[in-house]
Amino acid sequence: LQHVRDSCGAQIWNSPLQQRLFIPLADNIVSIGKARSSHEKEMEVPSHIQYASCLELRINGATGFIGRVLIAKLAASGWKVRALARRVPFRQDLPLVEWICGDMNCDSVLCDLVSGTEAVIHCAGAIRGKSWDDFSRTNVTGTRNILRAASGAPSCSRFLFISSLAAREPHLSWYARSKFEAEQLIPGFSGLAS
């Protein structure tokens, strides 16, 4: 926990509840990668079958609350991360992180983001807006765009979509409806395990 605070800044932790929710998520992603990497070494998988970038990930939503924690934990565990952000963060003290400046509505930026990776973590999302269009543009159209880019990348076979419990009740708000609609898009993209 101390390393994540040092890398991201203590201001990201607003409550002990947030610490309990997001640190285990980041730890699980790191643990999955380590187990898989160890398993591949034990099995002596031939080099032509091994994954092109077994310790590389792409993250969309990298400067958000979840994304900042994930990047810090993954980089601290030796993962190379290519991260998409609308603005490159002022602090760039994580040497294993390559920042790409852009948004989810630019196909060429998304293709650059996902090229050469096996896995994409999509944790970007609009949580505030003044209209349905504000939420739909990011949460639905943006998700469709990143799914299209990931499914078009030959090396990408995994897609982790971090949604919201609000998606269970789409009638509650524009946000809930947009997350629900984004979840409905995922099964339509063949070749990506989620």
Side-chain angles (χ1 to χ4, degrees), residues 74-129:
L74 292 167
S77 298
W79 288 75
K80 293 179 185 174
V81 176
R82 186 178 299 161
L84 179 67
R86 284 174 287 175
R87 290 173 301 281
V88 175
F90 178 72
R91 285 188 69 192
Q92 297 183 26
D93 57 354
L94 298 171
L96 295 175
V97 178
E98 173 191 353
W99 290 97
I100 295 182
C101 192
D103 66 41
M104 293 186 297
N105 294 313
C106 182
D107 292 337
S108 64
V109 168
L110 293 177
C111 288
D112 287 345
L113 175 70
V114 302
S115 69
T117 193
E118 184 196 339
V120 172
I121 300 174
H122 175 47
C123 56
I127 58 172
R128 290 188 269 308

Side-chain angles (χ1 to χ4, degrees), residues 157-170:
S157 62
R158 299 277 182 200
F159 188 90
L160 174 61
F161 176 63
I162 299 178
S163 187
S164 170
L165 288 175
R168 293 179 175 181
E169 302 290 336

Side-chain angles (χ1 to χ4, degrees), residues 19-35:
Q19 291 177 18
R20 288 196 312 270
L21 289 175
F22 295 113
I23 291 298
L25 173 64
D27 286 340
N28 285 336
I29 291 171
V30 170
S31 297
I32 290 166
K34 284 181 181 174

